[in-house]
Amino acid sequence: MAVFTTVRTQVQSGFSETDAHLEELVKNLPGYLGMDHAQTPGGLGITVSYFRDADALRQWRTTAEHRAAQKRGRADWYESYTLHVAKVERSRGFTRP
Amino acid sequence: MAVFTTVRTQVQSGFSETDAHLEELVKNLPGYLGMDHAQTPGGLGITVSYFRDADALRQWRTTAEHRAAQKRGRADWYESYTLHVAKVERSRGFTRP
């Protein structure tokens, strides 16, 4: 999994379009399993992306459009971010009966 | 790290107080390194907690007040949740110069 936390700048021109385009791209990547996203208004955003294995994540990291977006993110969109790549050891869930 | 995603119910009585109390408790736990939290209004919440090792996380998981809160969460506060326990393999960050 990749855990991406972000604080955005005031400069958000092009962000939504790029975000939507990247979401379409990653959905078609073999080994992509899904994502969870939460955004505190005016505060922290967290995106958790799930991949089958390190190879799938590497594919995504090096996709040309994704690379370009990363560069644009550092230039314009993000005040700060952290990225943690981690191997899931166990998972559980709950849904109200 | 522990990645906890939640969808809350309409029943939030006692949630804020318990949440604040647990945050005080975990801060005093040896091996606790911090947390990131984001909450989409009316939507998904994600809390990422960082621990030095599996032992520190186990300590936290089995703390009595935390156990009681987990039970209360399933009874009242959460419509659904997922918990992923993962081992961080690499991290990087960016801060605007």
Side-chain angles (χ1 to χ4, degrees):
Chain A
M1 64 164 41
V3 177
F4 187 46
T5 80
T6 66
V7 177
R8 310 246 287 267
T9 64
Q10 303 285 342
V11 183
Q12 293 300 305
S13 154
F15 179 85
S16 299
E17 298 82 345
T18 304
D19 193 53
H21 178 60
L22 290 181
E23 198 170 332
E24 283 309 302
L25 279 182
V26 75
K27 278 181 183 166
N28 290 313
L29 189 95
Y32 170 74
L33 302 176
M35 74 167 59
D36 288 316
H37 176 72
Q39 176 69 55
T40 302
L44 199 71
I46 302 180
T47 302
V48 184
S49 310
Y50 306 93
F51 294 87
R52 190 179 49 212
D53 52 29
D55 263 357
L57 179 53
R58 186 176 310 119
Q59 283 282 332
W60 177 234
R61 197 176 66 235
T62 57
T63 298
E65 290 95 328
H66 188 198
R67 286 266 202 207
Q70 289 163 24
K71 200 173 169 182
R72 180 83 190 275
R74 285 187 294 270
D76 291 337
W77 299 323
Y78 297 123
E79 190 59 41
S80 60
Y81 64 70
T82 64
L83 176 71
H84 301 292
V85 174
K87 187 172 171 57
V88 176
E89 296 180 326
R90 58 179 190 275
S91 299
R92 55 198 176 80
F94 164 79
T95 303
R96 185 160 294 279
Chain B
M1 66 165 39
V3 177
F4 187 46
T5 82
T6 65
V7 177
R8 310 246 286 267
T9 64
Q10 304 285 343
V11 184
Q12 293 300 305
S13 153
F15 178 85
S16 299
E17 297 83 345
T18 303
D19 194 51
H21 178 60
L22 290 181
E23 198 170 332
E24 283 310 301
L25 279 182
V26 76
K27 278 181 182 164
N28 291 313
L29 189 95
Y32 170 74
L33 302 177
M35 74 166 60
D36 288 315
H37 175 73
Q39 176 70 53
T40 301
L44 199 71
I46 303 181
T47 302
V48 184
S49 309
Y50 306 93
F51 294 88
R52 189 176 51 213
D53 52 29
D55 263 357
L57 179 53
R58 185 177 311 119
Q59 283 282 331
W60 177 235
R61 197 176 66 235
T62 56
T63 298
E65 291 95 329
H66 189 197
R67 287 267 202 206
Q70 290 163 25
K71 198 172 169 183
R72 181 82 189 277
R74 285 187 294 270
D76 290 337
W77 298 323
Y78 297 122
E79 190 60 40
S80 60
Y81 64 69
T82 64
L83 176 71
H84 301 291
V85 174
K87 187 171 172 56
V88 176
E89 295 180 328
R90 61 180 189 274
S91 299
R92 57 196 175 82
F94 164 79
T95 304
R96 184 159 297 278

